[in-house]
């Protein structure tokens, strides 16, 4: 059962608070009480709604667990049995998987960047597409797969819409590792690299990391193709993680010249 420590953005918390609704008895038939994780509430003038940003950290290797929040108005300075309003149960929500992304660069080899992604993943089953009219040419072998893309910023377009994928002649992507931790079968480590033909300039490129989840299905997503491209099919999947890292001077800048003298 979650505790207040699973909600890192809480601004106040209190244990042993009573509810207006009947609650199950505690240990030794004691009175049923609850713990409160209070969050700041803000008003959205466009939607005319109040909202709060809630972050849930499970602290476990669970992959996309379901959570259901019990919401109430909390008044910490009220009488002991009048601190909470009546409860409103939210819908069940599936939490996105926790991911750790690291991009590193060697200043003496500025044309190559290394990317690592780690986090909990499902341990199976592998997706299958029996019964599909056109099976995928490259079916996924694991329930989730990570892709790394290099994008260039088109100044003529500008903004977020100005990022376009580059050709392999500009930058190539290679996968170096896609394994599970030996002692933690539900934790995976993915490592890859992006190698540029020419040294990238700060602010010109960015890395796009995406992870898709695949399940078994009796259909595939069919791409019609055209005069020069044949018809093909893709495995249906949903995006569960996406992150961008702009290639700035911290990653591809020249190494600083040493200053001072080292002690003998």
């Amino acid at each position: 059962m979650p505790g207040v420590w699973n909600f890192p953005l809480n601004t106040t918390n209190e244990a042993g608070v009573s509810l207006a609704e009947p609650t199950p008895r505690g240990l030794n038939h004691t009175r049923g009480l609850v713990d409160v994780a209070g969050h700041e509430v803000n008003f959205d003038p466009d939607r005319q709604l109040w909202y709060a940003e809630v972050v849930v950290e499970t602290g476990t290797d669970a992959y996309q667990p379901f959570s259901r929040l019990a919401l109430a108005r909390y008044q910490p300075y009220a009488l002991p049995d009048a601190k909470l309003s009546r409860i409103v149960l939210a819908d069940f929500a599936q939490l996105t998987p926790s991911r750790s992304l690291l991009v590193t660069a060697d200043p003496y080899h500025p044309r190559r960047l290394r990317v690592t992604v780690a986090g909990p993943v499902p341990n199976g089953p592998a997706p299958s597409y029996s019964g599909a009219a056109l099976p995928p040419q490259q079916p996924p072998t694991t329930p989730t797969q990570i892709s790394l893309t290099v994008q260039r910023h088109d100044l003529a377009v500008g903004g977020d819409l100005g990022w376009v994928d580059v050709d392999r002649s500009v930058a190539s992507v290679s996968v170096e590792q896609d394994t599970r931790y030996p002692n933690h079968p539900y934790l995976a480590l993915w490592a890859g690299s992006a190698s540029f033909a020419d040294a990238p300039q700060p602010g010109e490129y960015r890395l796009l990391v995406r992870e898709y989840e695949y399940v078994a299905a009796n259909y595939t997503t069919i791409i019609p193709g055209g005069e020069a491209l044949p018809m093909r099919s893709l495995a249906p999947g949903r995006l569960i993680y996406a992150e961008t890292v702009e290639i700035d001077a911290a990653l591809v800048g020249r190494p600083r010249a040493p200053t001072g003298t080292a002690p003998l």
Side-chain angles (χ1 to χ4, degrees), residues 29-220:
H29 298 283
T30 57
R31 184 183 181 186
L33 302 173
V34 298
D35 297 340
V36 174
H39 288 69
E40 291 187 358
V41 179
N42 301 288
F43 185 72
D44 186 341
D46 296 329
R47 302 182 61 188
Q48 294 292 304
L49 294 173
W50 292 91
Y51 70 94
E53 183 179 0
V54 180
V55 173
V56 183
E57 292 184 355
T58 62
T60 67
D61 296 342
Y63 175 77
Q64 293 195 343
F66 283 89
S67 175
R68 192 180 193 186
L69 299 179
L71 306 175
R73 181 182 289 110
Y74 172 57
Q75 173 53 267
Y77 304 107
L79 296 174
D81 290 334
K83 293 186 175 183
L84 290 178
S85 67
R86 296 190 70 86
I87 292 296
V88 175
L89 288 177
D91 293 334
F92 282 99
Q94 192 174 18
L95 304 179
T96 56
S98 176
R99 291 291 178 263
S100 176
L101 170 64
L102 178 65
V103 180
T104 56
D106 185 348
Y108 296 98
H109 299 83
R111 293 190 296 112
R112 181 177 178 271
L113 299 174
R114 193 168 190 271
V115 181
T116 58
V117 183
V121 295
N123 216 14
S128 62
Y129 303 95
S130 59
L134 183 62
Q137 281 75 19
Q138 295 179 343
T141 58
T142 56
T144 62
Q145 286 190 351
I146 293 177
S147 66
L148 172 63
T149 306
V150 180
Q151 296 183 322
R152 170 182 279 166
H153 195 227
D154 187 352
L155 298 179
V157 178
D160 291 337
L161 297 178
W163 293 100
V164 294
D165 298 351
V166 303
D167 190 75
R168 289 183 57 87
S169 61
V170 178
S172 60
V173 174
S174 61
V175 180
E176 301 172 0
Q177 186 177 357
D178 191 0
T179 58
R180 306 292 179 93
Y181 285 93
N183 298 329
H184 301 278
Y186 290 98
L187 289 178
L189 175 65
W190 184 95
S193 61
S195 301
F196 291 82
D198 300 314
Q201 299 300 316
E204 184 179 5
Y205 298 95
R206 76 176 184 180
L207 302 177
L208 172 62
V209 181
R210 289 172 293 184
E211 183 177 4
Y212 286 89
E213 180 187 65
Y214 300 96
V215 295
N218 58 0
Y219 70 95
T220 56

Side-chain angles (χ1 to χ4, degrees), residues 1 16-35 70 87 89:
M1 185 171 294
V17 183
S18 61
L19 292 177
E21 296 87 349
T23 55
R25 289 286 179 177
L27 296 176
N28 300 323
H29 298 283
T30 57
R31 184 183 181 186
L33 302 173
V34 298
D35 297 340
I87 292 296
L89 288 177

